Amino acid sequence: MSLVPLCMAFACVPVETSQPVIPDDGDDPTNPEPTSACEPRQAGLSADFELTIEGWPGDTNGYFLYNVAAPCQVEAATPTSRDLRCTEGGGAEHSVTLTIADSRIAGAIPSSGPVFLRAARTDPEFGDNQWFVVRAGSEVTGALLAGGIRAGYETPEPGDGYFSPIWMVIGPEEGCPVEVEDECLTRRRARMLFSVDDVPGASILDGHEGDIDANGTYRAVVGESVDDTMGSLPFCGGDDPRYADNLRVLIGAKAQEGTPGIAP
């Protein structure tokens, strides 16, 4: 309460009035802190991977640096890498090295024997987008073992079942504040929404990991999942790191008891 003068024709007298309470702890009541739904990113989590392919011809339309689908043999293995010898349709063989930051995801790929590799990378003119998936056996229909995304969208081509039976789509996380907002970009942390064999699965927040399905068959590491809305002004884009890829995800089959060559 405070006193303000009330003036009438004959005198001014003090009158009590109500005033808003201003917090004295530094909080701004018009700009509250993020809700508890926006959990901090887990420390030490990484969904990085590197794929080195020797001598594979580029895509004829110029969009992809390479777009590989080939049977391979695993020739060497470490806890976080696999050396493959892959054979393209014409019979030419190529050396491929796949390095995965998370040893549990890498461990889903056997340390020897046949696997089937799909891998794609766009020309830098279209952004540095990369994907890979490794399947069991020598056919593209083999069971999914491991996969990864470092790109601005989920698959090289929409609806092609690249990571089947796993499907994923980015979803908003309203509990997280907008991290960047200007004339070029609105950027907010998001979730990856998973399904397996058309059955809805987990929703994993950016910077977290967990099982994808209720049976615990697959796990995912969501290193980055950011919902970006880009502006169309001519000066938006370029080398500004804020416009870099906004999805970094690893997926992998979890070890089954008695399965050789797969890390727990």
Side-chain angles (χ1 to χ4, degrees), residues 190-203:
R191 291 180 173 273
M192 291 303 293
L193 312 177
F194 294 93
S195 64
V196 178
D197 287 325
D198 297 325
V199 177
S203 166

Side-chain angles (χ1 to χ4, degrees), residues 31-39 170-179 181 186-193 203-206 225-229:
N31 186 24
E33 292 293 319
T35 68
S36 59
C38 191
E39 300 172 5
I170 192 169
E173 175 47 77
E174 299 299 339
C176 290
V178 173
E179 295 183 328
E181 187 170 24
T186 300
R187 185 177 179 93
R188 181 200 300 264
R189 291 176 66 196
R191 291 180 173 273
M192 291 303 293
L193 312 177
S203 166
I204 301 179
L205 179 63
D206 160 59
S225 173
V226 178
D227 187 14
D228 283 354
T229 302

